[in-house]
Structure formats: C-alpha cells, structure tokens
C-alpha cells in the first residue's frame, strides 16, 4: 500500500489515493476529482505509506485536528548498523503523566522506514482515554518549510522543466567535476535556497551536487560524496548518493547521520532525485555564507569516470573558505588489532610454512586483513566448491568485524577456508578480500557462494568470481521479508499462503512467473520497489532457481552452522581473540578427526540386499551413507511408469504410492547410463534421489556409475586426488592439489611419529624406506 497507489477497498470504500500535505489531507475519489479533508476524512490504518516521516506527522496532525485532539512527537528508533532513524512514534498530546493535563492516553501511530525509502504505518492505537475537543477548534501545529522557488529555465532555450537547470555541461555522464565548484558558479545560486525533494531533476550529476551543497550550507551542515552504483551492462554510473559529512562511524566526529540525497540517471540522460532522507541526528552548525570561495585542495583531476576518489571527498574550512579535499580511508579496525594479528601471523608462519596472510594498504594506511593456514588451504582443494561468506558481525555491535569463508566437508561439518577483518563495507574492501582468498587458494573458484545481499558484495562477487552462483543469506531474506511483508500480512489473510506458494511451490520458471504476476496484480504490488528488486534478483533466492546448482545440500531456507559458534561473540575483547579463535579451530578439527575415525573403523547397518547399498556403504562416509540410505529406502514406496522413449532416452513418471500429487519426471539414457530427475537433488546436494534410484531399479542397474558417487562425499575425500586429475584444471592446478595433499598427510604423520621415542624411530625408518622407493622409480 503506498500513498500514491490503490488502498484496501474494503476499508476505504470509494477512496482510492491519498497524498499528505502540510496542513490538509487531499483525497482523490474514484471519479478523479479532489476534495478537501473537510468534506471527506481519511483515517489512519495499517499499511498506509508516506514519502517521509514528516508527511506521516502532518497527516496524523490533520487527522487529530478533525477528530478533536492534539499530537506530539514520541519515541524514535535507530538502526544498529548506521545509526539512521528507522522508526518514529507520534502520540496523543495527553500521553504520559509528566504534567497535570496528561492522562496517560495510549493513542499513537508508529511509522517504519522500509527498503524503498518510504515510511509505512506499522502500528496504530486509536482508542483515547479522555474526551475530545470540538472538531475543527484545534489548529494543527505549523511545520515550517522553505519555499521552493520556480526553477530557472535553461539558458540555451526558453522552455522550462521541473528541476534545476544551468548552462550546458560537457562532463561525462555521472561524473562530478569538482573544478567547476568555483566562486562564480556558486554566486549564481545565492538567494532563496530550494529544499531538495523527490522528483527534482538536474541536467548533470554536477548540478545535483552543487544544489545539495548549497542547501546544506544554508541549513547548517556539510556534505560529502557517498556511494555510486554502476550498470552491469556497460559499467556506466547509474546512481549517486550525497551524504551528510557526519554519516557513518569511522571517525569520532561522525555520529551515523542518516541524511542523504540520491540521484538516478534516467533514459533521457537527466538525473532525478529518487531517494531522500532529510532528518539528521545531530545539531546544525551556523549556516555558511554562500559567497565564500569553494576551492579544490588537490591538483589531481577528479573528472575521470570510475575514479573512487569521488567517493572520498569532504568539505572542510580552509583559510576562510570551503575546500573539497580527498578523505583518507578510515578503517573500522583499531591499530591495536593490526599489531596483535601481525605478531600472531609471524608466529604461525614459523610453525606452518603453508600459512598465508595479506594486509591491504591504502595511502600507507593498513586496511583489510586476510589469513588462512595450510589446513584451510588444503581443505579448499576438496571442499571449496560451495562456500559461505559469513559476515555475522554485520548483524550486531561486534567489537571486531570478522568475516569467514566456510565450506562443507565430507561429514557435512563446517570447515574453515579462511578469515578476514573487514576495514569498511565498501565494494573496494570486499573485492580485495575475495581476491586475497583467490590468491591463497591457488585460483580455485567456487561453484556457488552464499553471502549477503548488499550491492557492494554482489558487485564484488560478480567481479572476482564471475562464474559463481551467488545465493543470498537466508537470515537476511527473512529479515527483509518481515520488514516488507508485515503490513500486507496484517491487511490480507490470504497473502502469506499466496506468497509462499509462489516462492516455494513453483517447479518451473513459467510457474513462478505466472504465480508472481498473480501476486502482484491481486495485491496491487506492481509499483512496490522491494518486490520489483526481488523479482529482478530471483535467481539468487527463489528455490527453483537455486536447486540446479551445487550448494553441498545447505538448505535453501537455512544456512550452515556458524563455525565459531558461541566461542567468538560480539563481546570478545581483542586480548582474548587469538586464544578463542585457536580454541574454536581446534574444537572443529577435533570433531572432524572423530568422524574420520568412525568412518574408517565403524560400519553402518545395511537394510536391503541391493548391491548398490553395499557399494555406497563402502565408498561414502557414514554421514553421507545415511543420507543416501534414506533415499534408497524411500524409493521402495514409489512407482515408476514409462511415459515416452526418444532413441536411447526413456522418460519415467515417478510418484509416491497413494499420493498422486507427489510426482517427478526422470530421464534415463541407456547408452551411457546418464540419469537426471526434475527434483534436482543430485545437482543441489550431490546424492542421487529416490526417484532416480527407483528408475535404476526398474532398469536393473546393479552398480552406480562412479560419477554419481561424488569424491567430495567419500571416505577418501582428503586423499586419492589422482582420481580428480581430469577435473583439476591445468598441470599447475594439479600440482598444487598434490602438494597440499602430501603436505597435510605429512603433517599428520609427523604429529603421530613425534608422540614418543619408539614411534619416532619407527616413523623415521618408514620415511627413509619410502624415500628410497621413490628414488628407485626415477
């Protein structure tokens, strides 16, 4: 529900659209004519949307005036991530008991900021505990606004359009040319200063920056250039953010201010303000005299497109004027951490020759840090096909911004593939971290990667791992769903069923598209920005699009168990970090050793006489054999019917006995024994499903082809890499695999041989004998 789209007809009758105004509510009826609120009163209800929190306040104030009570601003809530205001309460003036006139009235509305930048009415309490005053006798509080002057017409032509226009600018699209911010240009903007508003248009990004700079100077705050976004097709800049200088928390002077203006490039080439946040969380300074000179404190030319310099500029006072100076990159990691980690890395390298670490420097300042020991690097050769980039620190106030690369081993346990400290959450940082991981892992790129949804992470993955399928973190999808679906769930009883049926039950792309279109039309969501974005990114979160890619069986609606668990928490101090990190590492690796021991020394019980079951018990680890065994036992309760034959390929319809709704299509090629099922379990998890096993029984296949018993799930997953020679890549990649396999085995051999003097003597003799055998083979 938006302030400019159709509302709930059951609640609002013939009222179709509402747009809030400073002092009155303008209501559009179904005939398209408009009347004042005095003739048609609009009541607040769940799901109502506003462009800004100010509009919500004005709307509630006007409603209160009509009913006969007054309001005031209540509590606000801020984001833990950036400190921006994400929720506001507007309460009856008689709320509380601080004065004799207050009666503890519970009436209020609460608006919450959603992904699109709009504010949604999320909670409401209409009942008051006091008498109303006569309707219309109250005057709504005046909210002063600056008048927006009539836009100037272009000097080139006489026509005027909405927005601010100036002389023709030949600078590249989206590039802010700092050299044009000179006194003579700023002088032309002295006078009545327009307030920014959504829909405001500019010829260039340069104009937009000058406009926002002028507004900020007159209001009493300073700005800098923030994030930019590029087109995936041609790399051109499509969007820019200009933020308050107090945005973020990287410096003591910054307070996480959420004020910003974002502009987006249109097909016409012009730039439009599409997102705006006017609220600051700090006091304003004395407004700046706009006649003062603005200079660029650098000889460098900032015009080149794609320069990251544009994102790192601050407005500072120098010699009585304002200057745009390049901001030195600031790290979320304190200097004490670098000292601590470098000492640890050096000590580890002395013990572990395969230990890898890297530190990024920008302008001589340490930034991101990455490290991986030899065990992690070896594990990546076998279990680096599906990884999770875990950034749990982003969900809370962690003292250290730790990120980890985690895979799934042959026992379905989490296995560490590297760690990083994230200096800031820019695309530059994530790109560096991914490139460092790639270097440590000898260029081994994963098939799939589960990571957060942020644009910076998306772009970095696409750049460093171009062929990798990026899947969004389940916790983040759930959080965004709760935020954006909340109003719809409270308004429509059937919405949850329709939404979950569309997302989780669709079996083909056409099914999903049809169900999605029905959802958009039924609930009038075509213009909802979150739904629009999620449809565009559907291949990164909708189960149907994910199940055709190998994710090592990590559930679509879940994630891998946290590697560090409760050992490393948000409260872990730097003095205890290394000790706890080593403890978690040893604990996980001890769990893996126990499973290795069980796999080689215990046998699972067979439940059938099928030779395929015996074959898989011999090859799989105990954990993976149980997964396969479950599918094998289930296949006995299914029936298969041949539906057509095309040459060597036969297609079967396989369904559960007594349940005609649970059916899958299986294709079997008799010439090469290839088999695939529409459920895609083998593609997603690497284990044959019950439907495929049923068809193999029908065809009397007594042994699984080796390609359907993945080596990464086998008992010898950490050994016998010669089996994968054909898939290792080039000779250099295969040599790296052999090196890591031998190194890991040698490490285990040394640990066992050094346990006692007798074991040492035996181990030394065996090693000498083995070396002689290798020499004879030459």
């Amino acid at each position: 529900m938006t302030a400019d789209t159709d509302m709930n007809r059951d609640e609002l009758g013939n009222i179709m659209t509402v747009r809030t105004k400073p002092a009155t509510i303008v209501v559009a009826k179904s005939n398209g004519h408009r009347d004042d609120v005095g003739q048609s009163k609009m009541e607040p209800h769940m799901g109502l949307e506003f462009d800004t929190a100010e509009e919500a306040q004005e709307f509630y104030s006007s409603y209160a005036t009509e009913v006969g009570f007054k309001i005031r601003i209540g509590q606000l809530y801020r984001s833990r991530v950036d400190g921006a205001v994400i929720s506001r309460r507007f309460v009856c003036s008689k709320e509380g008991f601080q004065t004799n006139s207050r009666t503890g009235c519970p009436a209020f509305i609460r608006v919450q900021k959603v992904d699109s930048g709009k504010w949604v009415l999320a909670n409401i309490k209409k009942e008051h505990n006091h008498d109303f005053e006569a309707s219309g006798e109250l005057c709504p509080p005046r909210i002063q606004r600056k008048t927006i002057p009539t836009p100037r017409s272009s000097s080139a032509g006489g026509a005027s359009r909405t927005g601010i226009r100036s002389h023709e600018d030949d600078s590249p699209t989206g590039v802010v040319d700092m050299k044009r911010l000179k006194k003579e240009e700023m002088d032309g903007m002295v006078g009545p200063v327009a307030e920014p508003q959504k829909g405001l248009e500019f010829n260039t990004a340069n104009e937009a920056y000058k406009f926002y700079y002028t507004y900020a100077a007159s209001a009493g705050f300073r700005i800098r250039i923030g994030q930019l976004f590029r087109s995936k097709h041609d790399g051109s800049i499509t969007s820019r953010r200009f933020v308050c200088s107090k945005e973020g928390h990287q410096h003591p002077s910054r307070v996480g201010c959420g004020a910003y203006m974002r502009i987006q490039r249109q097909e016409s080439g012009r730039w439009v303000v599409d997102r705006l946040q006017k609220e600051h969380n700090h006091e304003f300074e004395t407004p700046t005299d706009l006649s003062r000179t603005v200079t660029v404190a650098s000889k460098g030319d900032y015009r080149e497109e794609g320069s990251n310099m544009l994102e790192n500029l601050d407005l500072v006072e120098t010699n009585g004027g304002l200057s745009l100076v390049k901001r030195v990159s600031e790290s979320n990691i304190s200097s004490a951490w670098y000292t601590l980690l470098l000492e640890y890395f050096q000590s580890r390298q002395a013990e572990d020759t395969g230990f890898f670490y890297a530190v990024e420097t920008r302008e001589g300042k340490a930034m991101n840090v990455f490290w991986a020991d030899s065990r992690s690097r070896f594990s990546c050769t076998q279990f680096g096909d599906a990884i999770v980039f875990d950034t749990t620190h982003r969900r809370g106030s962690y003292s250290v911004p730790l990120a980890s690369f985690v895979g799934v081993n042959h026992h379905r346990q989490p296995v560490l593939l590297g760690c990083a400290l994230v200096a800031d959450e820019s695309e530059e940082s994530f790109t560096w971290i991914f490139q460092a991981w790639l270097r440590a892992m000898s260029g081994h790129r994963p098939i799939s990667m589960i990571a957060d949804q942020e644009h910076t992470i998306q772009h970095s993955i696409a750049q460093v791992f171009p062929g990798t399928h990026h899947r969004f973190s389940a916790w983040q999808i759930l959080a965004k769903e709760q935020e954006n679906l909340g109003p719809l769930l409270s308004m429509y009883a059937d919405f949850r069923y329709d939404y979950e049926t569309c997302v989780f039950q669709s079996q083909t792309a056409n099914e999903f598209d049809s169900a999605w279109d029905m959802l958009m039309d039924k609930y009038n969501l075509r213009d909802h920005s979150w739904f629009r974005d999620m449809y565009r990114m559907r291949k990164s979160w909708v189960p149907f699009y994910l199940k055709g890619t190998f994710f090592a069986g990590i559930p679509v609606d879940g994630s891998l168990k946290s590697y560090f668990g409760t050992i490393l928490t948000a409260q872990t101090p730097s003095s205890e970090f290394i000790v706890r990190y080593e403890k978690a590492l040893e604990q996980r690796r001890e769990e893996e050793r126990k499973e290795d021991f069980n796999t080689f020394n215990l046998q699972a019980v067979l439940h059938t006489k099928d030779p395929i079951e015996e074959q898989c018990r011999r090859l799989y680890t105990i954990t993976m054999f149980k997964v396969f065994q479950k599918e094998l036992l289930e296949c006995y309760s299914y029936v298969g019917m041949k539906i057509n034959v095309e040459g060597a390929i036969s297609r079967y319809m396989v369904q559960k006995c007594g349940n005609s709704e649970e059916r899958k299509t299986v294709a079997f090629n008799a010439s090469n024994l290839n088999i695939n099922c529409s459920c895609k379990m083998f593609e997603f998890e690497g284990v044959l499903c019950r439907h495929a096993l049923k068809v193999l029984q029908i065809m009397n296949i007594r042994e699984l082809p080796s390609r359907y018993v993945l080596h990464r799930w086998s008992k010898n997953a950490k050994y016998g890499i010669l089996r994968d020679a054909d898939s290792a890549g080039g000779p250099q990649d295969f040599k790296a695999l052999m090196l890591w396999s031998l190194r890991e085995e040698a490490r285990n051999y040394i640990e066992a041989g050094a346990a006692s003097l007798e074991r040492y003597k035996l181990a030394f003799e065996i090693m000498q004998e083995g070396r002689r055998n290798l020499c004879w083979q030459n």
Side-chain angles (χ1 to χ4, degrees):
M1 189 68 58
T2 69
D4 299 306
T5 55
D6 288 352
M7 293 186 175
N8 188 336
R9 296 170 192 239
D10 294 334
E11 288 185 20
L12 306 181
N14 66 337
I15 298 175
M16 298 293 289
T17 309
V18 62
R19 182 181 293 278
T20 57
K21 293 294 179 184
T24 60
I25 304 168
V26 179
V27 180
K29 294 188 177 181
S30 55
N31 59 8
H33 298 294
R34 294 188 172 226
D35 293 318
D36 284 337
V37 68
Q39 298 170 346
S40 178
K41 182 177 69 181
M42 173 66 188
E43 289 201 4
H45 62 84
M46 296 274 284
L48 195 61
E49 280 196 4
F50 305 90
D51 288 335
T52 65
E54 281 181 358
E55 285 191 2
Q57 179 187 352
E58 293 162 12
F59 166 76
Y60 195 43
S61 176
S62 298
Y63 165 74
T65 302
E66 282 295 310
V67 173
F69 66 96
K70 296 178 184 178
I71 70 163
R72 57 188 171 83
I73 298 173
Q75 198 170 9
L76 61 80
Y77 303 88
R78 296 187 181 278
S79 166
R80 290 184 178 179
V81 178
D82 57 10
V85 178
I86 57 173
S87 180
R88 279 193 173 278
R89 281 170 60 103
F90 303 112
V91 301
C92 175
S93 62
K94 293 185 181 290
E95 182 261 358
F97 299 94
Q98 293 89 332
T99 65
N100 292 333
S101 64
R102 297 188 184 176
T103 61
C105 181
F108 76 96
I109 66 168
R110 184 176 73 85
V111 291
Q112 185 167 335
K113 191 176 182 182
V114 295
D115 241 15
S116 63
K118 291 184 177 290
W119 292 76
V120 176
L121 202 158
N123 296 96
I124 184 170
K125 178 80 173 178
K126 292 185 180 181
E127 294 78 16
H128 296 255
N129 64 357
H130 55 87
D131 293 331
F132 290 154
E133 300 183 30
S135 176
E137 289 184 1
L138 299 173
C139 294
R142 289 175 176 252
I143 299 174
Q144 294 187 356
R145 291 171 172 259
K146 295 178 181 175
T147 306
I148 298 175
T150 305
R152 295 177 294 168
S153 60
S154 171
S155 58
S160 71
R161 295 179 61 182
T162 302
I164 306 291
R165 301 189 65 174
S166 67
H167 61 275
E168 292 299 320
D169 197 324
D170 60 352
S171 54
T173 304
V175 178
V176 180
D177 183 1
M178 298 305 166
K179 291 187 175 180
R180 295 209 173 188
L181 294 179
K182 295 181 180 177
K183 182 178 183 299
E184 58 269 27
E185 292 198 3
M186 300 309 296
D187 283 345
M189 300 188 75
V190 175
V193 180
E195 280 200 16
Q197 61 181 1
K198 282 190 176 181
L200 202 59
E201 286 192 7
F202 304 92
N203 285 330
T204 65
N206 222 30
E207 280 188 14
Y209 178 84
K210 287 186 288 186
F211 166 78
Y212 196 46
Y213 159 75
T214 307
Y215 164 73
S218 67
F221 66 96
R222 292 180 288 171
I223 68 168
R224 70 176 193 272
I225 297 173
Q227 200 171 14
L228 61 81
F229 301 93
R230 295 185 178 276
S231 166
K232 289 184 178 179
H233 303 296
D234 57 13
S236 62
I237 298 172
T238 58
S239 178
R240 277 195 171 281
R241 279 168 60 104
F242 306 121
V243 302
C244 174
S245 64
K246 292 184 180 293
E247 180 260 358
H249 298 276
Q250 297 92 329
H251 189 273
S253 65
R254 299 189 183 172
V255 295
C257 181
Y260 73 93
M261 181 179 84
R262 194 182 84 164
I263 55 173
Q264 191 163 27
R265 193 180 70 204
Q266 307 298 298
E267 290 184 2
S268 63
R270 289 170 64 81
W271 294 77
V272 174
V273 177
D274 70 326
R275 291 191 184 178
L276 182 67
Q277 174 62 265
K278 292 184 182 180
E279 295 167 345
H280 297 256
N281 64 353
H282 56 87
E283 297 294 329
F284 284 167
E285 302 170 3
T286 304
T288 304
D289 182 359
L290 294 176
S291 63
R292 296 164 72 181
T293 304
V294 178
T295 59
V296 179
S298 173
K299 293 182 180 179
D301 187 353
Y302 294 115
R303 289 176 58 97
E304 69 267 23
E305 185 159 334
S307 172
N308 288 328
M309 294 179 183
L310 297 177
E311 300 179 40
N312 299 297
L313 296 171
D314 276 324
L315 284 169
V316 299
E317 293 194 29
T318 54
N319 300 322
L322 289 172
S323 296
L324 281 160
V325 298
K326 189 174 180 183
R327 170 166 42 95
V328 177
S329 299
E330 294 166 351
S331 173
N332 292 330
I333 310 166
S334 68
S335 57
W337 277 98
Y338 295 108
T339 304
L340 178 75
L341 288 174
L342 286 174
E343 289 180 358
Y344 171 69
F345 294 160
Q346 289 165 4
S347 66
R348 289 291 291 117
Q349 268 194 335
E351 303 168 3
D352 180 1
T353 56
F355 189 91
F356 176 98
Y357 75 91
V359 180
E360 181 198 17
T361 58
R362 296 184 202 165
E363 300 163 353
K365 184 175 181 180
M367 294 295 287
N368 300 288
V369 183
F370 172 83
W371 72 95
D373 63 10
S374 59
R375 180 73 175 272
S376 293
R377 298 175 74 186
F378 169 69
S379 295
C380 187
T381 62
Q382 298 298 340
F383 309 124
D385 42 13
I387 65 175
V388 177
F389 182 56
D390 186 0
T391 52
T392 305
H393 73 272
R394 303 178 70 244
R395 300 184 222 175
S397 54
Y398 277 65
S399 61
V400 56
L402 177 69
S404 56
F405 294 84
V406 182
V408 182
N409 71 9
H410 53 330
H411 305 298
R412 277 194 162 179
Q413 297 168 315
V415 56
L416 190 64
L417 305 178
C419 287
L421 293 192
V422 186
D424 60 38
E425 302 212 352
S426 65
E427 183 176 335
E428 183 180 1
S429 282
F430 288 119
T431 298
W432 183 90
I433 289 169
F434 293 153
Q435 288 172 340
W437 185 85
L438 198 60
R439 288 197 305 274
M441 305 308 164
S442 304
H444 179 94
R445 286 180 169 82
I447 296 171
S448 61
M449 188 171 186
I450 300 175
D452 289 350
Q453 184 181 340
E454 271 62 31
H455 290 295
T456 51
I457 295 179
Q458 288 189 53
H459 294 165
S460 296
I461 291 175
Q463 179 182 340
V464 182
F465 308 118
T468 298
H469 192 152
H470 176 196
R471 168 177 147 192
F472 296 155
S473 303
W475 74 266
Q476 199 175 40
I477 291 292
L478 181 61
K480 295 292 184 183
E481 285 180 342
Q482 290 174 345
E483 178 182 324
N484 290 277
L485 304 185
L488 293 163
L489 293 172
S490 63
M491 292 168 62
Y492 305 106
D494 295 336
F495 180 79
R496 181 184 294 278
Y497 174 80
D498 291 341
Y499 176 78
E500 291 182 350
T501 299
C502 169
V503 172
F504 297 106
Q505 301 301 321
S506 297
Q507 299 299 315
T508 66
N510 288 336
E511 276 186 29
F512 175 77
D513 287 343
S514 298
W516 188 268
D517 286 340
M518 182 276 293
L519 198 70
M520 296 302 100
D521 293 336
K522 181 176 179 179
Y523 299 103
N524 193 27
L525 299 172
R526 291 284 181 191
D527 296 326
H528 196 296
S529 60
W530 184 78
F531 283 97
R532 203 163 52 237
D533 290 343
M534 294 308 286
Y535 179 78
R536 176 174 53 82
M537 300 183 291
R538 60 193 179 280
K539 292 182 180 179
S540 293
W541 67 280
V542 175
F544 164 74
Y545 292 100
L546 298 175
K547 65 184 182 181
T549 302
F550 183 75
F551 280 99
I554 301 173
V556 172
D557 56 350
S559 188
L560 197 59
K561 188 178 180 181
S562 173
Y563 187 85
F564 293 102
T566 58
I567 297 177
L568 283 179
T569 67
Q571 288 74 39
T572 301
S574 59
S575 59
E576 297 180 19
F577 176 79
I578 298 299
V579 174
R580 293 197 185 192
Y581 168 80
E582 291 278 8
K583 180 181 178 182
L585 213 59
E586 180 55 34
Q587 182 175 302
R588 288 293 187 191
R589 289 174 178 175
E590 179 59 28
E591 291 170 358
E592 183 176 354
R593 284 192 288 269
K594 286 180 180 178
E595 285 299 318
D596 283 341
F597 179 86
N598 291 339
T599 288
F600 283 104
N601 293 279
L602 302 177
Q603 269 200 333
V605 177
L606 297 176
H607 292 296
T608 72
K609 294 183 179 181
D610 193 327
I612 286 180
E613 186 181 18
E614 170 58 36
Q615 175 196 5
C616 289
R617 182 176 71 168
R618 191 174 66 252
L619 297 174
Y620 280 132
T621 62
I622 289 179
T623 301
M624 293 312 301
F625 174 70
K626 288 179 179 178
V627 174
F628 171 82
Q629 189 179 52
K630 178 183 177 183
E631 295 300 310
L632 181 66
L633 294 177
E634 286 288 344
C635 85
Y636 286 96
S637 60
Y638 282 72
V639 294
M641 297 165 286
K642 187 181 292 186
I643 51 178
N644 70 8
V645 178
E646 295 178 9
I649 300 175
S650 302
R651 284 184 171 80
Y652 291 80
M653 180 68 71
V654 180
Q655 68 180 48
K656 191 176 179 72
C657 297
N659 185 357
S660 60
E661 293 183 3
E662 187 180 338
R663 56 175 63 179
K664 302 296 176 184
T665 303
V666 179
F668 176 74
N669 190 326
S671 63
N672 55 16
L673 302 185
N674 277 347
I675 191 165
N676 60 75
C677 177
S678 59
C679 79
K680 301 290 184 184
M681 179 177 170
F682 181 76
E683 288 80 359
F684 183 79
E685 195 165 344
V687 176
L688 277 180
C689 63
R690 60 197 66 178
H691 318 105
L693 291 171
K694 170 52 66 176
V695 172
L696 291 178
Q697 283 182 352
I698 294 172
M699 300 302 296
N700 199 30
I701 302 298
R702 312 290 286 175
E703 182 178 343
L704 290 184
S706 61
R707 60 182 171 276
Y708 292 117
V709 182
L710 294 189
H711 183 60
R712 62 131 31 245
W713 294 132
S714 71
K715 294 179 180 180
N716 298 315
K718 295 194 293 187
Y719 317 101
I721 58 171
L722 285 174
R723 175 176 177 174
D724 292 334
D726 294 336
S727 60
Q732 200 68 26
D733 294 329
F734 188 55
K735 184 175 181 179
L737 288 173
M738 292 190 293
L739 184 66
W740 286 116
S741 181
L742 289 172
R743 182 177 286 163
E744 180 66 11
E745 187 62 21
R747 190 186 67 82
N748 294 331
Y749 184 82
I750 291 169
E751 286 182 3
S756 67
L757 183 60
E758 290 74 18
R759 285 192 175 192
Y760 163 76
K761 291 178 180 179
L762 178 61
F764 196 82
E765 290 176 5
I766 293 172
M767 193 161 55
Q768 284 187 316
E769 180 66 23
R771 187 175 61 180
R772 282 194 292 269
N773 290 336
L774 286 175
C775 291
W776 290 338
Q777 289 190 8
N778 289 336

